[in-house]
Amino acid sequence: MNDLNIDAGLGEVLSPIVNEALDVAKPLTSSIKGVLLFVCRPALKLGIRTQAELDAYEDEINRKAKLISPENMYKDNVSLIGKILEDSIYQLSEEQFRELYSSIIAASVDKTKVVKPFYSSLIREMSSDEVNLLEYMFEYDTLIEMNISCDNPMFIKENTYHEYWEPRYFKIKGDYSNRFKLRDFNDPIYEKSYKYDKDFVEDKTIESFNFLLSHGVIKENRSEYWNEFIPSIKKYIFDTDDDIIRVKQNFHDIKFEIDRKVYSLTELGKSLKTILTAYRPEVLN
């Protein structure tokens, strides 16, 4: 059962539309087809959406609806379907958004799934950058933050003032299923374990990170404090950051400090992953 009380008023308004759509509703449920026609028709008339975009959206919803067995089909969630469609209207030009919204719609008529009304509202607030980072987190569930600071060399007394670099964020790449946990970050041997662009890459969409963090989709995961990628990322930063290189060259005794954090999906993030990836071939197979 989905977590939304049906709005009787909206249901009354949409019922005639649903009934009119019965002859073209197969293989979609009448509710989905009817609300799709009701919500998207004005956008089509105003030129906000094209017929091709709506057809592609409908086909994607239809494909996913076919995957739900009849006994698990929840046919009366008209209000929730309408809300999701309204949230989606202005983003249907992009395939990745049609994919996400169609998954939420399919899950909203699937008795085995729980869809919260704010799921589609959250997607509506995203750009492609946030979606790309979210998809990355679905796959790897690991985002590494590195914070570098050092004693300010312009002050004579040690530790009286610190110079801070902007936080930097790194994604991992490839398959690292055979993971090992490190316990000594000072051992240089671990700095050569992973290579930039082959095993990890920097992510510079800081606003996207802040969005997912502030909306409770990701959080710091202290159990990953000893993530094995960190020594290699540290070496990469110290070998390539021009400001750090300059400070090291001019002040040989300078002391650097590194604060590392690792972010993973929250329970909300995991719930979104369940809903948004449920009907993908790699999950179904």
Side-chain angles (χ1 to χ4, degrees):
M1 185 72 65
N2 293 287
D3 188 30
L4 185 73
N5 293 324
I6 298 301
D7 184 334
L10 181 57
E12 290 176 2
V13 172
L14 295 181
S15 292
I17 305 297
V18 171
N19 293 333
E20 290 175 11
L22 284 175
D23 59 327
V24 290
K26 297 177 182 179
L28 294 174
T29 67
S30 59
S31 294
I32 296 177
K33 182 69 177 183
V35 181
L36 180 65
L37 293 173
F38 179 80
V39 173
C40 295
R41 187 179 293 152
L44 185 62
K45 288 182 177 180
L46 292 172
I48 297 172
R49 294 278 65 89
T50 67
Q51 188 62 55
E53 291 167 352
L54 296 184
D55 288 346
Y57 192 25
E58 180 180 333
D59 288 344
E60 191 63 19
I61 296 171
N62 183 23
R63 181 185 69 79
K64 292 173 181 176
K66 284 182 178 180
L67 299 172
I68 305 170
S69 60
E71 62 269 20
N72 289 328
M73 183 71 74
Y74 181 68
K75 300 182 179 180
D76 300 317
N77 220 354
V78 174
S79 294
L80 181 54
I81 296 169
K83 179 190 181 302
I84 299 167
L85 287 167
E86 288 178 344
D87 285 339
S88 71
I89 284 176
Y90 298 102
Q91 293 170 302
L92 295 181
S93 60
E94 299 183 50
E95 182 179 357
Q96 66 179 164
F97 283 102
R98 294 197 297 267
E99 153 67 20
L100 296 179
Y101 285 115
S102 61
S103 293
I104 303 177
I105 289 173
S108 72
V109 296
D110 188 341
K111 292 180 181 179
T112 68
K113 305 292 187 296
V114 177
V115 174
K116 302 287 186 178
F118 66 84
Y119 287 178
S120 59
S121 302
L122 195 60
I123 301 300
R124 184 186 62 194
E125 298 297 321
M126 295 185 184
S127 70
S128 293
D129 288 336
E130 286 77 60
V131 171
N132 291 337
L133 183 57
L134 182 64
E135 292 282 3
Y136 162 81
M137 293 300 294
F138 287 168
E139 183 173 1
Y140 290 100
D141 200 24
T142 300
L143 185 69
I144 298 171
E145 175 184 300
M146 300 291 282
N147 295 281
I148 312 294
S149 64
C150 73
D151 294 337
N152 192 320
M154 303 307 295
F155 286 77
I156 297 176
K157 187 178 179 181
E158 185 178 4
N159 292 324
T160 56
Y161 191 71
H162 249 50
E163 182 173 352
Y164 294 88
W165 278 255
E166 289 293 323
R168 297 174 67 173
Y169 299 89
F170 293 85
K171 298 175 179 177
I172 59 178
K173 297 176 63 178
D175 179 16
Y176 71 112
S177 55
N178 296 320
R179 300 182 62 184
F180 55 92
K181 296 290 185 180
L182 304 181
R183 289 295 179 269
D184 185 5
F185 279 99
N186 296 315
D187 191 336
I189 189 173
Y190 294 120
E191 294 180 349
K192 300 178 181 179
S193 298
Y194 299 101
K195 301 297 182 183
Y196 186 80
D197 204 37
K198 177 178 179 291
D199 302 305
F200 64 92
V201 66
E202 187 165 5
D203 183 87
K204 297 185 179 181
T205 54
I206 308 304
E207 290 182 353
S208 301
F209 163 78
N210 287 330
F211 178 90
L212 296 185
L213 184 65
S214 64
H215 285 76
V217 179
I218 61 175
K219 67 177 180 179
E220 183 180 354
N221 185 351
R222 295 185 180 275
S223 67
E224 287 286 343
Y225 186 76
W226 294 97
N227 187 283
E228 69 269 28
F229 280 81
I230 289 175
S232 300
I233 292 175
K234 170 190 170 184
K235 183 178 187 307
Y236 168 77
I237 292 174
F238 276 79
D239 287 349
T240 59
D241 188 290
D242 291 337
D243 288 335
I244 292 178
I245 293 172
R246 174 184 54 80
V247 171
K248 290 172 66 176
Q249 288 175 340
N250 294 328
F251 304 95
H252 299 291
D253 296 329
I254 202 75
K255 179 188 277 187
F256 286 89
E257 295 182 6
I258 300 175
D259 178 33
R260 54 192 179 269
K261 297 178 181 178
V262 180
Y263 296 88
S264 300
L265 292 171
T266 62
E267 290 305 311
L268 170 59
K270 293 175 183 177
S271 295
L272 287 172
K273 178 181 178 180
T274 298
I275 297 301
L276 296 175
T277 65
Y279 307 100
R280 296 180 182 179
E282 63 270 22
V283 175
L284 295 170
N285 294 336

